[in-house]
Amino acid sequence: MKWQSQKVAIDAVAAWANAHVSEEWGKKAAARVFHICESGKDIEIDDLFTPGAATEKSIRYVAPVPGAPERAYDVAQAMSFVATQRKNAEERVAWQHVIPRLLERLSASSGARAR
């Protein structure tokens, strides 16, 4: 798959997380995916109900996890980490199932490009 070697700019990841991941998984998960990609650390949101995009929420870093913004594959790893943290087994499988489709949206965005 092309996303295994495609490099991604962190601003493209932010825009994608705010639009596509927020729509599919909600702002909390979108914020987690973005911050894992940006910092390599999982987060907790201080106040989920504060207005603003997922990437603009006030957060606390809680633990290091795999995932980095260098390649779309690393974004997939961050998404997989967030998806597998779901307590409900059916929801966990459903979230894992949409990862390839969400990655295609990232690849199609103007900020994601092969280098």
Side-chain angles (χ1 to χ4, degrees):
M1 296 183 164
K2 69 181 178 181
W3 51 268
Q4 291 175 318
S5 61
Q6 181 179 22
K7 294 197 177 206
V8 206
I10 195 65
D11 59 335
V13 175
W16 165 79
N18 286 329
H20 302 293
V21 182
S22 289
E23 179 182 317
E24 190 75 40
W25 287 357
K27 286 185 178 183
K28 181 178 178 183
R32 290 180 68 202
V33 169
F34 170 74
H35 286 288
I36 290 169
C37 291
E38 181 184 49
S39 69
K41 297 176 184 171
D42 199 5
I43 57 107
E44 288 184 359
I45 296 176
D46 291 329
D47 183 0
L48 184 59
F49 301 104
T50 302
T55 60
E56 298 170 344
K57 302 288 185 188
S58 176
I59 56 114
R60 285 175 277 113
Y61 293 106
V62 293
V65 295
E70 184 65 24
R71 294 175 296 149
Y73 176 78
D74 298 320
V75 176
Q77 292 294 93
M79 293 180 69
S80 181
F81 175 83
V82 171
T84 59
Q85 300 298 306
R86 305 304 298 175
K87 291 182 181 12
N88 179 290
E90 289 177 8
E91 190 173 74
R92 189 170 44 245
V93 170
W95 281 36
Q96 290 170 319
H97 180 73
V98 300
I99 290 172
R101 181 168 43 87
L102 287 169
L103 285 171
E104 285 301 317
R105 289 181 178 173
L106 175 60
S107 296
S109 71
S110 60
R113 57 194 171 277
R115 291 186 194 169

